Amino acid sequence: MSSPSNSSPTPIDRILNSQFTRFFIIGFLILLLQIPTLMLFGLVNDRQKVRQAAVEDITGKWGKQQVIVGPRLLVPYIKRTGSAEKKNLKSVQKVATFLPNDLNIAGKMQTEKRHRGIFQVPVYTTDLTLSGQFEAPDFSAWGVQKADIQWNRAELMIQISDTRAISDQVNVKWNKATVPFDPGLGKLQSGGKILSLSPIAPSQTGSRLPKTQLTSINSGSGIHARLNNQLKAETKSYQFSIPLQLRGSESMDFIPMGKLTQVHLDSDWANPSFQGNWLPEKPEVTKDGFKAKWQIPFLGRNFPQQWSSDRPIADDVIYKSSFGVDLFSPVDNYHMAERSIKYNFLFLVLTFAVLWLFEVTAGLRVHPLQYLMVGVAMSMFYLLQLAISEHLGFHYAYAIASFAVVLLITGYTMSVLRAKRRGGIVGVMQVCLYSYLYVVLASQDYSLLLGSIGLFGFLAIVMFLTRRIDWFNPSGTQPRLEGD
């Protein structure tokens, strides 16, 4: 910083010392500091990818996000076309799909956190019981003769997105009989499109794995039970019960396959995020876990209770009816870091504006390099926050990073502005800015409102403090007269 000179300024000095020129220099510095801001965005994305690799390593061995589709009853039949008289009689095997009249799913979910390096992923073990009732299959809508129905080849199928995570042998209690499940979707699955559950590309905006996507192909992951002679034409209804021990991670979703689907899910996870087309009825969420209950009639979905392989139901139609729960992490460090970096431009503008006002009102000179030092220190806040949050969490990281940066900038500006009072004003302003940012990050739903009010308030303060400055001669050597 230099003191005002008594010698007569040259034209070049007048240009360099004019506030208009200083304004453009400061603006250029702010734009220059957007380069490290862009690098910070890239760093956040890189750390997200590293975490994603750790998550996939854990979930690939424990169990991925689980989606349960079923059970559904598959019954083959013969479709005849033409006539024997014209000698053009043809017989083609078709498959009819029937959904349960009642479907009750009760489950107890035990959660834990698995670590890979500094990263952790919520995983769970669930004891589920799928029970309910199938009505006797009705083929009258397709004009099928009783003799053409192959009851002895019927299969019961359940799709599970990651069957590797099934913990024990699965059997179905079908009326009074017990039938074991076999791996795969069975021989009848090729009779119509079957949902295939596969993960999609990772999200760039969040840390958790994305929702499971269902693709329209004729293979998938699941289990099936060959009912053989357990399905008979004269039986009016069938009761079933299926105990299922299943591991998974991050989320569990269901499809309402019953005419009336009821799901009861208890867990020790204290931060659930309920997703899908239906929310649970009055869920109980406490620090010890949650209890959730869904009751969904089939009128709320967009597919029927039965269909034939002649006119199969599209995969995406079925999956759009999914619902369930995510094991939500209360604070996503990378998402918070990405949101906070977006405020860097605004904070630079406000801080540089305060330094510039000290130049104008106190007759000081702050070198562009000194502006740059303050801007780099402010950019370091986001790097510190990101690095520390991976070890201590967002809240502690934010407090430590903001305290360090405010202390650094306050001490530096006290020296630059040649007064503890002026440096203290800059420090108080930094405290206000980072406190304001924390409130905005913690209140995502109100971030736009808080941002608008904060920006308006700062503009009002600047206008009030500069209302008497003569911008044509801010040094005050030739003050303008009122009324000129």
PDB file of all heavy atoms in Angstrom, residues 73 98-99 101 133-138 151 174-175 230-239:
ATOM      1  N   LEU A  73     -47.891 -65.482 -10.725  1.00  0.00           N
ATOM      2  CA  LEU A  73     -48.177 -66.869 -11.103  1.00  0.00           C
ATOM      3  C   LEU A  73     -48.196 -66.969 -12.624  1.00  0.00           C
ATOM      4  O   LEU A  73     -48.947 -66.256 -13.294  1.00  0.00           O
ATOM      5  CB  LEU A  73     -49.516 -67.304 -10.514  1.00  0.00           C
ATOM      6  CG  LEU A  73     -49.979 -68.737 -10.790  1.00  0.00           C
ATOM      7  CD1 LEU A  73     -49.006 -69.753 -10.202  1.00  0.00           C
ATOM      8  CD2 LEU A  73     -51.386 -68.955 -10.217  1.00  0.00           C
ATOM      9  N   PHE A  98     -50.715 -64.110 -13.726  1.00  0.00           N
ATOM     10  CA  PHE A  98     -51.749 -63.751 -12.742  1.00  0.00           C
ATOM     11  C   PHE A  98     -51.064 -63.171 -11.504  1.00  0.00           C
ATOM     12  O   PHE A  98     -50.044 -63.684 -11.045  1.00  0.00           O
ATOM     13  CB  PHE A  98     -52.582 -64.970 -12.361  1.00  0.00           C
ATOM     14  CG  PHE A  98     -53.283 -65.606 -13.525  1.00  0.00           C
ATOM     15  CD1 PHE A  98     -52.685 -66.643 -14.241  1.00  0.00           C
ATOM     16  CD2 PHE A  98     -54.543 -65.173 -13.919  1.00  0.00           C
ATOM     17  CE1 PHE A  98     -53.325 -67.223 -15.318  1.00  0.00           C
ATOM     18  CE2 PHE A  98     -55.194 -65.756 -15.004  1.00  0.00           C
ATOM     19  CZ  PHE A  98     -54.583 -66.786 -15.709  1.00  0.00           C
ATOM     20  N   LEU A  99     -51.657 -62.114 -10.972  1.00  0.00           N
ATOM     21  CA  LEU A  99     -51.130 -61.460  -9.782  1.00  0.00           C
ATOM     22  C   LEU A  99     -51.992 -61.804  -8.574  1.00  0.00           C
ATOM     23  O   LEU A  99     -53.171 -62.143  -8.727  1.00  0.00           O
ATOM     24  CB  LEU A  99     -51.090 -59.942  -9.985  1.00  0.00           C
ATOM     25  CG  LEU A  99     -50.283 -59.451 -11.189  1.00  0.00           C
ATOM     26  CD1 LEU A  99     -50.238 -57.927 -11.211  1.00  0.00           C
ATOM     27  CD2 LEU A  99     -48.874 -60.031 -11.192  1.00  0.00           C
ATOM     28  N   ASN A 101     -54.413 -61.726  -5.339  1.00  0.00           N
ATOM     29  CA  ASN A 101     -55.539 -60.897  -4.925  1.00  0.00           C
ATOM     30  C   ASN A 101     -55.166 -60.057  -3.703  1.00  0.00           C
ATOM     31  O   ASN A 101     -55.506 -58.876  -3.617  1.00  0.00           O
ATOM     32  CB  ASN A 101     -56.744 -61.791  -4.616  1.00  0.00           C
ATOM     33  CG  ASN A 101     -58.032 -60.996  -4.512  1.00  0.00           C
ATOM     34  OD1 ASN A 101     -58.380 -60.267  -5.442  1.00  0.00           O
ATOM     35  ND2 ASN A 101     -58.722 -61.114  -3.391  1.00  0.00           N
ATOM     36  N   GLN A 133     -52.909 -64.258  -1.102  1.00  0.00           N
ATOM     37  CA  GLN A 133     -53.841 -65.212  -1.712  1.00  0.00           C
ATOM     38  C   GLN A 133     -53.946 -64.962  -3.214  1.00  0.00           C
ATOM     39  O   GLN A 133     -54.028 -63.820  -3.659  1.00  0.00           O
ATOM     40  CB  GLN A 133     -55.224 -65.070  -1.071  1.00  0.00           C
ATOM     41  CG  GLN A 133     -56.309 -65.894  -1.733  1.00  0.00           C
ATOM     42  CD  GLN A 133     -57.684 -65.529  -1.229  1.00  0.00           C
ATOM     43  OE1 GLN A 133     -57.835 -64.636  -0.397  1.00  0.00           O
ATOM     44  NE2 GLN A 133     -58.710 -66.182  -1.754  1.00  0.00           N
ATOM     45  N   PHE A 134     -53.914 -66.045  -3.976  1.00  0.00           N
ATOM     46  CA  PHE A 134     -54.225 -66.021  -5.395  1.00  0.00           C
ATOM     47  C   PHE A 134     -55.623 -66.597  -5.599  1.00  0.00           C
ATOM     48  O   PHE A 134     -55.957 -67.634  -5.016  1.00  0.00           O
ATOM     49  CB  PHE A 134     -53.235 -66.875  -6.198  1.00  0.00           C
ATOM     50  CG  PHE A 134     -51.920 -66.212  -6.484  1.00  0.00           C
ATOM     51  CD1 PHE A 134     -50.843 -66.394  -5.630  1.00  0.00           C
ATOM     52  CD2 PHE A 134     -51.760 -65.417  -7.607  1.00  0.00           C
ATOM     53  CE1 PHE A 134     -49.619 -65.801  -5.894  1.00  0.00           C
ATOM     54  CE2 PHE A 134     -50.552 -64.819  -7.888  1.00  0.00           C
ATOM     55  CZ  PHE A 134     -49.479 -64.996  -7.021  1.00  0.00           C
ATOM     56  N   GLU A 135     -56.416 -65.942  -6.392  1.00  0.00           N
ATOM     57  CA  GLU A 135     -57.675 -66.538  -6.822  1.00  0.00           C
ATOM     58  C   GLU A 135     -57.406 -67.543  -7.930  1.00  0.00           C
ATOM     59  O   GLU A 135     -56.342 -67.523  -8.564  1.00  0.00           O
ATOM     60  CB  GLU A 135     -58.639 -65.460  -7.309  1.00  0.00           C
ATOM     61  CG  GLU A 135     -59.132 -64.530  -6.209  1.00  0.00           C
ATOM     62  CD  GLU A 135     -60.142 -63.525  -6.719  1.00  0.00           C
ATOM     63  OE1 GLU A 135     -60.220 -63.340  -7.953  1.00  0.00           O
ATOM     64  OE2 GLU A 135     -60.852 -62.917  -5.890  1.00  0.00           O
ATOM     65  N   ALA A 136     -58.352 -68.433  -8.162  1.00  0.00           N
ATOM     66  CA  ALA A 136     -58.192 -69.413  -9.228  1.00  0.00           C
ATOM     67  C   ALA A 136     -57.995 -68.707 -10.562  1.00  0.00           C
ATOM     68  O   ALA A 136     -58.752 -67.784 -10.897  1.00  0.00           O
ATOM     69  CB  ALA A 136     -59.411 -70.326  -9.297  1.00  0.00           C
ATOM     70  N   PRO A 137     -56.977 -69.051 -11.342  1.00  0.00           N
ATOM     71  CA  PRO A 137     -56.738 -68.401 -12.633  1.00  0.00           C
ATOM     72  C   PRO A 137     -57.957 -68.515 -13.540  1.00  0.00           C
ATOM     73  O   PRO A 137     -58.564 -69.582 -13.683  1.00  0.00           O
ATOM     74  CB  PRO A 137     -55.549 -69.177 -13.195  1.00  0.00           C
ATOM     75  CG  PRO A 137     -54.841 -69.723 -11.996  1.00  0.00           C
ATOM     76  CD  PRO A 137     -55.930 -70.032 -11.015  1.00  0.00           C
ATOM     77  N   ASP A 138     -58.290 -67.390 -14.145  1.00  0.00           N
ATOM     78  CA  ASP A 138     -59.464 -67.316 -15.014  1.00  0.00           C
ATOM     79  C   ASP A 138     -59.001 -67.044 -16.443  1.00  0.00           C
ATOM     80  O   ASP A 138     -58.458 -65.979 -16.748  1.00  0.00           O
ATOM     81  CB  ASP A 138     -60.383 -66.193 -14.532  1.00  0.00           C
ATOM     82  CG  ASP A 138     -61.664 -66.128 -15.349  1.00  0.00           C
ATOM     83  OD1 ASP A 138     -61.873 -67.019 -16.212  1.00  0.00           O
ATOM     84  OD2 ASP A 138     -62.446 -65.172 -15.141  1.00  0.00           O
ATOM     85  N   TRP A 151     -51.889 -76.993 -16.319  1.00  0.00           N
ATOM     86  CA  TRP A 151     -51.803 -76.706 -14.882  1.00  0.00           C
ATOM     87  C   TRP A 151     -50.528 -77.271 -14.276  1.00  0.00           C
ATOM     88  O   TRP A 151     -49.938 -76.666 -13.355  1.00  0.00           O
ATOM     89  CB  TRP A 151     -53.023 -77.292 -14.167  1.00  0.00           C
ATOM     90  CG  TRP A 151     -54.339 -76.734 -14.621  1.00  0.00           C
ATOM     91  CD1 TRP A 151     -55.250 -77.335 -15.433  1.00  0.00           C
ATOM     92  CD2 TRP A 151     -54.890 -75.458 -14.275  1.00  0.00           C
ATOM     93  NE1 TRP A 151     -56.339 -76.517 -15.630  1.00  0.00           N
ATOM     94  CE2 TRP A 151     -56.146 -75.350 -14.923  1.00  0.00           C
ATOM     95  CE3 TRP A 151     -54.450 -74.397 -13.495  1.00  0.00           C
ATOM     96  CZ2 TRP A 151     -56.969 -74.244 -14.805  1.00  0.00           C
ATOM     97  CZ3 TRP A 151     -55.261 -73.285 -13.363  1.00  0.00           C
ATOM     98  CH2 TRP A 151     -56.507 -73.207 -14.014  1.00  0.00           C
ATOM     99  N   TRP A 174     -47.516 -73.304  -0.095  1.00  0.00           N
ATOM    100  CA  TRP A 174     -48.596 -73.131  -1.064  1.00  0.00           C
ATOM    101  C   TRP A 174     -49.775 -73.995  -0.608  1.00  0.00           C
ATOM    102  O   TRP A 174     -49.736 -75.208  -0.720  1.00  0.00           O
ATOM    103  CB  TRP A 174     -48.110 -73.539  -2.449  1.00  0.00           C
ATOM    104  CG  TRP A 174     -49.070 -73.272  -3.562  1.00  0.00           C
ATOM    105  CD1 TRP A 174     -49.926 -74.167  -4.115  1.00  0.00           C
ATOM    106  CD2 TRP A 174     -49.256 -72.038  -4.254  1.00  0.00           C
ATOM    107  NE1 TRP A 174     -50.634 -73.585  -5.113  1.00  0.00           N
ATOM    108  CE2 TRP A 174     -50.249 -72.257  -5.235  1.00  0.00           C
ATOM    109  CE3 TRP A 174     -48.706 -70.776  -4.150  1.00  0.00           C
ATOM    110  CZ2 TRP A 174     -50.682 -71.253  -6.101  1.00  0.00           C
ATOM    111  CZ3 TRP A 174     -49.134 -69.781  -5.014  1.00  0.00           C
ATOM    112  CH2 TRP A 174     -50.108 -70.026  -5.968  1.00  0.00           C
ATOM    113  N   ASN A 175     -50.814 -73.329  -0.057  1.00  0.00           N
ATOM    114  CA  ASN A 175     -51.864 -74.056   0.660  1.00  0.00           C
ATOM    115  C   ASN A 175     -51.208 -74.934   1.733  1.00  0.00           C
ATOM    116  O   ASN A 175     -50.546 -74.410   2.609  1.00  0.00           O
ATOM    117  CB  ASN A 175     -52.746 -74.842  -0.302  1.00  0.00           C
ATOM    118  CG  ASN A 175     -53.773 -73.913  -0.972  1.00  0.00           C
ATOM    119  OD1 ASN A 175     -53.931 -72.749  -0.594  1.00  0.00           O
ATOM    120  ND2 ASN A 175     -54.476 -74.431  -1.966  1.00  0.00           N
ATOM    121  N   GLN A 230     -49.559 -78.811  -7.762  1.00  0.00           N
ATOM    122  CA  GLN A 230     -50.161 -78.028  -6.683  1.00  0.00           C
ATOM    123  C   GLN A 230     -51.212 -77.051  -7.188  1.00  0.00           C
ATOM    124  O   GLN A 230     -51.942 -76.454  -6.400  1.00  0.00           O
ATOM    125  CB  GLN A 230     -49.067 -77.252  -5.931  1.00  0.00           C
ATOM    126  CG  GLN A 230     -47.982 -78.129  -5.327  1.00  0.00           C
ATOM    127  CD  GLN A 230     -48.565 -79.131  -4.338  1.00  0.00           C
ATOM    128  OE1 GLN A 230     -49.523 -78.844  -3.611  1.00  0.00           O
ATOM    129  NE2 GLN A 230     -47.973 -80.332  -4.322  1.00  0.00           N
ATOM    130  N   LEU A 231     -51.286 -76.879  -8.492  1.00  0.00           N
ATOM    131  CA  LEU A 231     -52.283 -75.986  -9.099  1.00  0.00           C
ATOM    132  C   LEU A 231     -53.319 -76.853  -9.819  1.00  0.00           C
ATOM    133  O   LEU A 231     -52.969 -77.634 -10.712  1.00  0.00           O
ATOM    134  CB  LEU A 231     -51.606 -75.036 -10.086  1.00  0.00           C
ATOM    135  CG  LEU A 231     -52.364 -73.733 -10.397  1.00  0.00           C
ATOM    136  CD1 LEU A 231     -52.408 -72.837  -9.182  1.00  0.00           C
ATOM    137  CD2 LEU A 231     -51.716 -73.000 -11.560  1.00  0.00           C
ATOM    138  N   LYS A 232     -54.580 -76.712  -9.419  1.00  0.00           N
ATOM    139  CA  LYS A 232     -55.630 -77.559  -9.968  1.00  0.00           C
ATOM    140  C   LYS A 232     -56.812 -76.714 -10.392  1.00  0.00           C
ATOM    141  O   LYS A 232     -57.099 -75.663  -9.800  1.00  0.00           O
ATOM    142  CB  LYS A 232     -56.069 -78.608  -8.939  1.00  0.00           C
ATOM    143  CG  LYS A 232     -54.931 -79.521  -8.498  1.00  0.00           C
ATOM    144  CD  LYS A 232     -55.391 -80.529  -7.456  1.00  0.00           C
ATOM    145  CE  LYS A 232     -54.233 -81.420  -7.017  1.00  0.00           C
ATOM    146  NZ  LYS A 232     -54.660 -82.403  -5.976  1.00  0.00           N
ATOM    147  N   ALA A 233     -57.522 -77.190 -11.406  1.00  0.00           N
ATOM    148  CA  ALA A 233     -58.629 -76.423 -11.981  1.00  0.00           C
ATOM    149  C   ALA A 233     -59.771 -76.260 -10.989  1.00  0.00           C
ATOM    150  O   ALA A 233     -60.482 -75.247 -11.011  1.00  0.00           O
ATOM    151  CB  ALA A 233     -59.133 -77.108 -13.255  1.00  0.00           C
ATOM    152  N   GLU A 234     -59.982 -77.225 -10.114  1.00  0.00           N
ATOM    153  CA  GLU A 234     -61.141 -77.184  -9.218  1.00  0.00           C
ATOM    154  C   GLU A 234     -60.888 -76.349  -7.949  1.00  0.00           C
ATOM    155  O   GLU A 234     -61.827 -76.059  -7.198  1.00  0.00           O
ATOM    156  CB  GLU A 234     -61.554 -78.597  -8.817  1.00  0.00           C
ATOM    157  CG  GLU A 234     -60.504 -79.387  -8.063  1.00  0.00           C
ATOM    158  CD  GLU A 234     -59.556 -80.142  -8.972  1.00  0.00           C
ATOM    159  OE1 GLU A 234     -59.557 -79.849 -10.192  1.00  0.00           O
ATOM    160  OE2 GLU A 234     -58.828 -81.021  -8.466  1.00  0.00           O
ATOM    161  N   THR A 235     -59.639 -75.972  -7.701  1.00  0.00           N
ATOM    162  CA  THR A 235     -59.338 -75.197  -6.494  1.00  0.00           C
ATOM    163  C   THR A 235     -59.692 -73.729  -6.726  1.00  0.00           C
ATOM    164  O   THR A 235     -59.329 -73.131  -7.732  1.00  0.00           O
ATOM    165  CB  THR A 235     -57.846 -75.313  -6.128  1.00  0.00           C
ATOM    166  OG1 THR A 235     -57.514 -76.703  -5.997  1.00  0.00           O
ATOM    167  CG2 THR A 235     -57.561 -74.595  -4.826  1.00  0.00           C
ATOM    168  N   LYS A 236     -60.403 -73.129  -5.770  1.00  0.00           N
ATOM    169  CA  LYS A 236     -60.905 -71.772  -5.945  1.00  0.00           C
ATOM    170  C   LYS A 236     -59.894 -70.695  -5.525  1.00  0.00           C
ATOM    171  O   LYS A 236     -59.923 -69.583  -6.045  1.00  0.00           O
ATOM    172  CB  LYS A 236     -62.200 -71.585  -5.157  1.00  0.00           C
ATOM    173  CG  LYS A 236     -63.352 -72.429  -5.680  1.00  0.00           C
ATOM    174  CD  LYS A 236     -64.632 -72.156  -4.906  1.00  0.00           C
ATOM    175  CE  LYS A 236     -65.795 -72.967  -5.452  1.00  0.00           C
ATOM    176  NZ  LYS A 236     -67.056 -72.711  -4.701  1.00  0.00           N
ATOM    177  N   SER A 237     -59.010 -70.987  -4.582  1.00  0.00           N
ATOM    178  CA  SER A 237     -58.037 -69.990  -4.142  1.00  0.00           C
ATOM    179  C   SER A 237     -56.820 -70.700  -3.569  1.00  0.00           C
ATOM    180  O   SER A 237     -56.886 -71.875  -3.181  1.00  0.00           O
ATOM    181  CB  SER A 237     -58.640 -69.042  -3.099  1.00  0.00           C
ATOM    182  OG  SER A 237     -58.975 -69.741  -1.920  1.00  0.00           O
ATOM    183  N   TYR A 238     -55.734 -69.976  -3.509  1.00  0.00           N
ATOM    184  CA  TYR A 238     -54.471 -70.523  -3.029  1.00  0.00           C
ATOM    185  C   TYR A 238     -53.838 -69.534  -2.039  1.00  0.00           C
ATOM    186  O   TYR A 238     -53.626 -68.364  -2.365  1.00  0.00           O
ATOM    187  CB  TYR A 238     -53.496 -70.769  -4.184  1.00  0.00           C
ATOM    188  CG  TYR A 238     -54.044 -71.707  -5.237  1.00  0.00           C
ATOM    189  CD1 TYR A 238     -54.766 -71.205  -6.324  1.00  0.00           C
ATOM    190  CD2 TYR A 238     -53.850 -73.082  -5.152  1.00  0.00           C
ATOM    191  CE1 TYR A 238     -55.261 -72.047  -7.296  1.00  0.00           C
ATOM    192  CE2 TYR A 238     -54.350 -73.936  -6.122  1.00  0.00           C
ATOM    193  CZ  TYR A 238     -55.064 -73.419  -7.196  1.00  0.00           C
ATOM    194  OH  TYR A 238     -55.563 -74.262  -8.152  1.00  0.00           O
ATOM    195  N   GLN A 239     -53.536 -70.034  -0.845  1.00  0.00           N
ATOM    196  CA  GLN A 239     -52.829 -69.232   0.143  1.00  0.00           C
ATOM    197  C   GLN A 239     -51.331 -69.487  -0.003  1.00  0.00           C
ATOM    198  O   GLN A 239     -50.906 -70.626  -0.232  1.00  0.00           O
ATOM    199  CB  GLN A 239     -53.288 -69.616   1.560  1.00  0.00           C
ATOM    200  CG  GLN A 239     -54.783 -69.543   1.796  1.00  0.00           C
ATOM    201  CD  GLN A 239     -55.283 -68.113   1.814  1.00  0.00           C
ATOM    202  OE1 GLN A 239     -54.556 -67.199   2.183  1.00  0.00           O
ATOM    203  NE2 GLN A 239     -56.545 -67.925   1.429  1.00  0.00           N
TER     204      GLN A 239
END
